[in-house]
Amino acid sequence: MLGLAIVAIAVKVGYLASITNPYALSIAQPLLGLPVFSGISLRVLTYFVMMAIGIAFVLWKADKNVYTIISSLSLLLSKVNLFQINIQPCL
């Protein structure tokens, strides 16, 4: 899930902020009577705010995921010791 969040959040933020998306902006803004590509400062601000929130969310999830991975590894190592499996390094 973390890998999906890393990719999906970046894609969605980039599309939703739409700083210079020619397809959405060149069609939608003239329909509303606005000049094409106007309001770039608001879109840039929105992009940076949404990207900061997305990065914070992914880092928060990654921090929680690290503890899950560590606990899973410790559980696995405890099971290996229960069955007396000795893993020797190859020299």
Side-chain angles (χ1 to χ4, degrees):
M1 288 303 275
L2 183 63
L4 177 66
I6 290 170
V7 174
I9 289 175
V11 168
K12 294 300 178 183
V13 165
Y15 181 74
L16 291 173
S18 186
I19 294 176
T20 58
N21 187 351
Y23 302 113
L25 297 176
S26 63
I27 294 171
Q29 286 188 335
L31 288 175
L32 295 172
L34 298 171
V36 178
F37 300 114
S38 65
I40 190 135
S41 59
L42 182 61
R43 286 193 304 275
V44 169
L45 176 70
T46 303
Y47 174 77
F48 283 116
V49 168
M50 290 173 65
M51 188 59 80
I53 291 170
I55 290 171
F57 176 76
V58 168
L59 289 176
W60 176 66
K61 283 300 215 181
D63 186 43
K64 289 176 70 176
N65 203 12
V66 166
Y67 293 119
T68 305
I69 291 170
I70 290 172
S71 65
S72 299
L73 284 175
S74 66
L75 180 65
L76 177 68
L77 290 176
S78 68
K79 287 183 180 181
V80 167
N81 288 336
L82 278 176
F83 294 113
Q84 300 298 325
I85 298 174
N86 294 325
I87 301 173
Q88 300 294 328
C90 295
L91 297 176

